[in-house]
C-alpha cells in the first residue's frame, strides 16, 4: 500500500532505532568531535545520513544531544556532572526494576543478594562497633556512630561513608574485570591500591590513614593534578577542594579496631572529644584542665570505666549529672 | 473483620503500611515533606509496576522499592547542590538568568541520568571533551591513556546517550 511506511514514521514520534544504526551515529559523533575534521569526513557523514531514513533519524537524535550539551555553561555543568558519586547507582536501580519485574519468583533471591550487600546499609549506634566481610572477601570495621552504604556490582566496589569512621582491609578482586575499591565521602574519593586503611567523615573534612600499601585521595572539587598519594604509615585530611599534606599516622590511631583508645601525651580536651564519640549524652572538659596531657590505653566499650581509670591516674575529677548523661572533667 | 485470606491489593497495602513507610522515610530524610513526596512516588511506582497480590512481605517489598527511589532522590539532590554551589561561585555577569537557570538544571538532570551507568573514567573523558572542550589528545594525556582509548570512551558515552535520549 503506498504511503503506509510514511504513515508509520509519522505515528512514531520517537521511533526505535536499531543498535547498529545508533552505533554508527556514535562513531560519526566521535569523528566529528575530534579537533581536526576533514571535509571528506563531513561529506562521508552526509552521505551516510542520506543512505537510509533511519540514518537521518539517528542523526537528528545526535543533533539534539549535541544541542543539549552545547547549551550547558561549562563552569556550571562541570562541577555538577563531574561530582563524585556511585557510578553504578542507576544500574543498581535498573537491576532493582528488573528484579521487581520478576517478583515474586525471585523475591527470595533478591533478598539474599541484598544481604550479600551490593546495595545494603550498615549502621552502628553510639558506642557500638561492628565488622563485616564483603562478598569479595574485603573486611570493613565500623567504628561508633557510623553509617555506610555499599555499592558492589559488576563494575565497582564502592563504600559510601555517610557518617563516622571505618577501617578497610581490601581483598584482591576475584572478578574478571578489576573493579576499583573506592570509599566515597562528602569531600571526595579515596581509592584503595590493595591495602589496609581507615577513613573518617568529619564536619566538612575527611581523615585518611594508611596502614598498608597505598591509597589515592581525590577531593571532589580539586583538579586531577592535586590528587594525593598516601603510602603506608601516612595520613592526611582533605576537604572538597584541597588534599592537604601527608603526615605520619599517629601511633595507636587504629586501636579503636581493638575496642581501645590509645593516648600518647594526648590533650585532655582531645581525649574528651574522643570519648564523646562513644558515649550518649554530653562529655565536656573544664578549660582549666583542657591542656593536661594524658597517656594510657582506655576501653571504648565501657566509657565509665575509661573515665574512672583517668580519674585514678591523673588529678582529674569526673563529675556526673543527670544519671551520667552530663559528664564534666574537672580539676580534682 | 479483616479477611486473612483475601489477596493484597494496593488499597490495603496503602492503608496498612503508608504511615509506616512515611515513618521509615522520615527517619532517613529527617523531613516530613520530602518523606511524603517519596512515599507517594513509592506507591506510584508499585501501581505502575505489577501484581500487588503476589507480595508476601509488604514492608520488605515497600522498603526495597523506596530504597531505589531514595537513592535516585539523593543523587538528584547532590546534582542540584553541586549546581547551586557552582552558581554561587560564578561572577554576577556570567550567571544565567533565573529562567535559564532552571532550564540548565533540567538539562543537567537529563545528561546526568544518561551518563549515570558509565564507568567513571568514560564519563570523565566525555565531560572533558563535551563540557570543557578539550581535545582527545589532551584528554589522553590527562587520563594517562592512549588516544585509541579516549575514542573508545567517547563512542561508548555517545552511544549510551543516543540510546537513552527521548
Amino acid at each position: 500500500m503506498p504511503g503506509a511506511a510514511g504513515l508509520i514514521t509519522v505515528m512514531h514520534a520517537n521511533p526505535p532505532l536499531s543498535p547498529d544504526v545508533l552505533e554508527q551515529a556514535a562513531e560519526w559523533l566521535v569523528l566529528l568531535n575530534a579537533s581536526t575534521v576533514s571535509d571528506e569526513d563531513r561529506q562521508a557523514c552526509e552521505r551516510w545520513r542520506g543512505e537510509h531514513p533511519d540514518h537521518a533519524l539517528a542523526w537528528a537524535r545526535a543533533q539534539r544531544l549535541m544541542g543539549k550539551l552545547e547549551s550547558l555553561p561549562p563552569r556550571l555543568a562541570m562541577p555538577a556532572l563531574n561530582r563524585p558519586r556511585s557510578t553504578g547507582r542507576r544500574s543498581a536501580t535498573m537491576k532493582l526494576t528488573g528484579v521487581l519485574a520478576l517478583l515474586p519468583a525471585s523475591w527470595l533471591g533478591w533478598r539474599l543478594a541484598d544481604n550479600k550487600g551490593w546495595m545494603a546499609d550498615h549502621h552502628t549506634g553510639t558506642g557500638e562497633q561492628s565488622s563485616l566481610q564483603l562478598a569479595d572477601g574485603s573486611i570493613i570495621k565500623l567504628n561508633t556512630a557510623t553509617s555506610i552504604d555499599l555499592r558492589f556490582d559488576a563494575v565497582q566496589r564502592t563504600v559510601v561513608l555517610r557518617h563516622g569512621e571505618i577501617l578497610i582491609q581490601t581483598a584482591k578482586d576475584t572478578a574478571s574485570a578489576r573493579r576499583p575499591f573506592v570509599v566515597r565521602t562528602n569531600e571526595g574519593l579515596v581509592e584503595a591500591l590493595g591495602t589496609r586503611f581507615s577513613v573518617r567523615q568529619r564536619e566538612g573534612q575527611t581523615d585518611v590513614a594508611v596502614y598498608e600499601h597505598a591509597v589515592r585521595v581525590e577531593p571532589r572539587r580539586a583538579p586531577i593534578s592535586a590528587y594525593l598519594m598516601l603510602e603506608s604509615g601516612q595520613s592526611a585530611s582533605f576537604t572538597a577542594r584541597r588534599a592537604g599534606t601527608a603526615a605520619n599516622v599517629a601511633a595507636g590511631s587504629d586501636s579503636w579496631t581493638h575496642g581501645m583508645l590509645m593516648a600518647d601525651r594526648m590533650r585532655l580536651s582531645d581525649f574528651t572529644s574522643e570519648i564523646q564519640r562513644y558515649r550518649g549524652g554530653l562529655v565536656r572538659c573544664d578549660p582549666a584542665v583542657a591542656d593536661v596531657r594524658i597517656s594510657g590505653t582506655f576501653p571504648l566499650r565501657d566509657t565509665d570505666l575509661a573515665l574512672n581509670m583517668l580519674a585514678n591516674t591523673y588529678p582529674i575529677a569526673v563529675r556526673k549529672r543527670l544519671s551520667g548523661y552530663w559528664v564534666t572533667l574537672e580539676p580534682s | 473483620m479483616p479477611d486473612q485470606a483475601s489477596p493484597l491489593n494496593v488499597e490495603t497495602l496503602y492503608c496498612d503500611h503508608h504511615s509506616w513507610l512515611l515513618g521509615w522515610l522520615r527517619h532517613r530524610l529527617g523531613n516530613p515533606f520530602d518523606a511524603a513526596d517519596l512515599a507517594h512516588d513509592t506507591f506510584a511506582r508499585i501501581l505502575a509496576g505489577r501484581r500487588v497480590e503476589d507480595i508476601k512481605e509488604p514492608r520488605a517489598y515497600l522498603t526495597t522499592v523506596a530504597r531505589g527511589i531514595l537513592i535516585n532522590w539523593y543523587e538528584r539532590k547532590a546534582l542540584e547542590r553541586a549546581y547551586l554551589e557552582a552558581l554561587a561561585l560564578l561572577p554576577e555577569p556570567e550567571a544565567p538568568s533565573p529562567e535559564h537557570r532552571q532550564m540548565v538544571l533540567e538539562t543537567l538532570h537529563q545528561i546526568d541520568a544518561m551518563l549515570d551507568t558509565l564507568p567513571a573514567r568514560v564519563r570523565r573523558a566525555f565531560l572533558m571533551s563535551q563540557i570543557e572542550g578539550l581535545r582527545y589528545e589532551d584528554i589522553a594525556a590527562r587520563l594517562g591513556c592512549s588516544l585509541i582509548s579516549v575514542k573508545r570512551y567517547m563512542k561508548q558515552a555517545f552511544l549510551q546517550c543516543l540510546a537513552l535520549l527521548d
Side-chain angles (χ1 to χ4, degrees):
Chain A
M1 204 198 283
L7 185 64
I8 289 167
T9 314
V10 172
M11 280 172 66
H12 286 86
N14 187 21
L17 290 164
S18 82
D20 284 348
V21 172
L22 289 180
E23 195 174 339
Q24 289 164 24
E27 279 166 4
W28 285 116
L29 281 173
V30 175
L31 187 70
L32 297 185
N33 273 281
S35 50
T36 50
V37 184
S38 69
D39 284 341
E40 286 89 80
D41 290 337
R42 287 201 188 86
Q43 285 156 11
C45 180
E46 242 168 73
R47 274 198 303 280
W48 174 79
R49 272 148 27 195
E51 274 169 15
H52 194 279
D54 279 357
H55 296 187
L57 285 169
W59 195 249
R61 204 186 282 191
Q63 281 178 315
R64 266 194 306 132
L65 174 65
M66 295 310 293
K68 280 182 194 295
L69 288 165
E70 278 158 19
S71 75
L72 292 172
R75 291 174 68 179
L76 293 176
M78 204 58 192
L81 294 173
N82 201 30
R83 73 191 186 286
R85 54 163 139 207
S86 59
T87 48
R89 176 183 66 84
R90 191 150 318 232
S91 64
T93 318
M94 279 177 175
K95 246 186 235 170
L96 174 73
T97 318
V99 169
L100 291 178
L102 293 174
L103 282 174
S106 69
W107 183 226
L108 186 64
W110 150 255
R111 295 184 61 215
L112 286 175
D114 193 29
N115 287 341
K116 267 190 257 155
W118 58 266
M119 214 178 84
D121 299 333
H122 298 273
H123 307 276
T124 52
T126 299
E128 285 176 4
Q129 294 184 330
S130 73
S131 179
L132 58 122
Q133 181 154 27
L134 305 178
D136 69 344
S138 299
I139 292 168
I140 302 188
K141 291 186 175 179
L142 281 72
N143 202 357
T144 177
T146 295
S147 44
I148 59 170
D149 291 343
L150 300 178
R151 313 253 194 275
F152 274 54
D153 57 34
V155 295
Q156 64 170 346
R157 296 184 292 168
T158 297
V159 178
V160 182
L161 175 59
R162 301 215 175 270
H163 307 282
E165 182 172 26
I166 53 177
L167 181 124
I168 292 177
Q169 171 86 58
T170 59
K172 232 198 189 82
D173 197 2
T174 47
S176 48
R178 196 194 149 269
R179 299 168 299 174
F181 195 112
V182 171
V183 177
R184 194 181 99 191
T185 70
N186 286 335
E187 285 72 40
L189 302 178
V190 179
E191 182 170 355
L193 309 166
T195 191
R196 193 164 81 93
F197 66 108
S198 67
V199 183
R200 179 173 171 188
Q201 176 72 61
R202 288 173 179 268
E203 200 75 38
Q205 174 186 326
T206 300
D207 297 349
V208 187
V210 182
Y211 302 100
E212 276 170 33
H213 299 288
V215 304
R216 183 170 48 234
V217 171
E218 307 184 2
R220 69 186 171 91
R221 310 286 294 278
I224 297 176
S225 58
Y227 289 0
L228 178 69
M229 279 295 271
L230 289 178
E231 307 288 337
S232 176
Q234 291 186 316
S235 67
S237 297
F238 67 96
T239 63
R241 294 187 180 283
R242 245 188 296 279
T245 47
N248 289 336
V249 172
S253 58
D254 63 341
S255 58
W256 63 265
T257 61
H258 307 294
M260 304 304 269
L261 169 62
M262 257 174 68
D264 179 23
R265 296 191 41 74
M266 187 184 247
R267 290 175 68 237
L268 190 64
S269 57
D270 293 337
F271 175 86
T272 310
S273 43
E274 273 302 301
I275 290 292
Q276 171 77 80
R277 294 175 63 198
Y278 299 87
R279 194 181 166 91
L282 286 168
V283 188
R284 45 184 296 279
C285 116
D286 191 311
V289 289
D291 290 323
V292 171
R293 300 276 173 168
I294 60 156
S295 299
T297 302
F298 302 88
L300 290 170
R301 279 173 204 143
D302 187 346
T303 52
D304 281 320
L305 178 60
L307 292 169
N308 287 343
M309 286 165 65
L310 185 76
N312 289 338
T313 322
Y314 293 92
I316 288 160
V318 178
R319 193 89 53 223
K320 289 182 188 165
R321 272 161 274 186
L322 302 174
S323 334
Y325 179 83
W326 187 293
V327 175
T328 313
L329 304 181
E330 299 169 345
S332 64
Chain B
M1 202 184 262
D3 183 2
Q4 293 285 327
S6 76
L8 194 62
N9 59 43
V10 170
E11 196 185 336
T12 53
L13 184 74
Y14 189 90
C15 292
D16 293 353
H17 305 293
H18 180 264
S19 63
W20 175 83
L21 178 66
L22 209 53
W24 188 88
L25 285 164
R26 196 182 307 148
H27 175 69
R28 273 157 187 78
L29 295 164
N31 157 358
F33 306 108
D34 291 333
D37 278 354
L38 295 197
H40 173 81
D41 290 351
T42 304
F43 279 100
R45 165 115 32 123
I46 289 170
L47 262 179
R50 37 163 306 104
R51 308 180 308 246
V52 174
E53 58 271 23
D54 291 334
I55 298 169
K56 293 284 181 288
E57 297 174 64
R59 290 192 174 176
Y61 181 86
L62 279 173
T63 48
T64 303
V65 177
R67 188 171 288 160
I69 285 172
L70 202 56
I71 292 172
N72 271 312
W73 184 85
Y74 277 129
E75 216 58 51
R76 280 182 75 86
K77 287 282 157 195
L79 175 89
E80 285 176 24
R81 214 167 33 239
Y83 175 64
L84 290 175
E85 278 175 18
L87 204 54
L89 292 173
L90 219 54
E92 194 66 43
E94 279 188 51
S97 68
E99 312 83 71
H100 190 201
R101 271 175 220 184
Q102 194 53 40
M103 271 169 50
V104 169
L105 183 60
E106 270 159 36
T107 309
L108 283 174
H109 277 309
Q110 285 175 6
I111 301 287
D112 197 51
M114 291 194 275
L115 301 180
D116 207 27
T117 50
L118 292 173
R121 227 173 143 69
V122 174
R123 191 173 56 235
R124 204 178 283 172
F126 185 74
L127 293 174
M128 283 179 183
S129 162
Q130 295 303 304
I131 305 294
E132 290 191 304
L134 293 183
R135 301 173 332 137
Y136 294 164
E137 291 80 0
D138 298 332
I139 297 170
R142 283 233 210 152
L143 292 180
C145 66
S146 66
L147 191 56
I148 299 282
S149 297
V150 173
K151 289 182 180 170
R152 208 178 51 234
Y153 295 160
M154 292 301 296
K155 183 178 158 186
Q156 189 182 350
F158 273 132
L159 182 57
Q160 167 120 337
C161 290
L162 289 176
L164 294 178
L165 191 70
D166 48 30

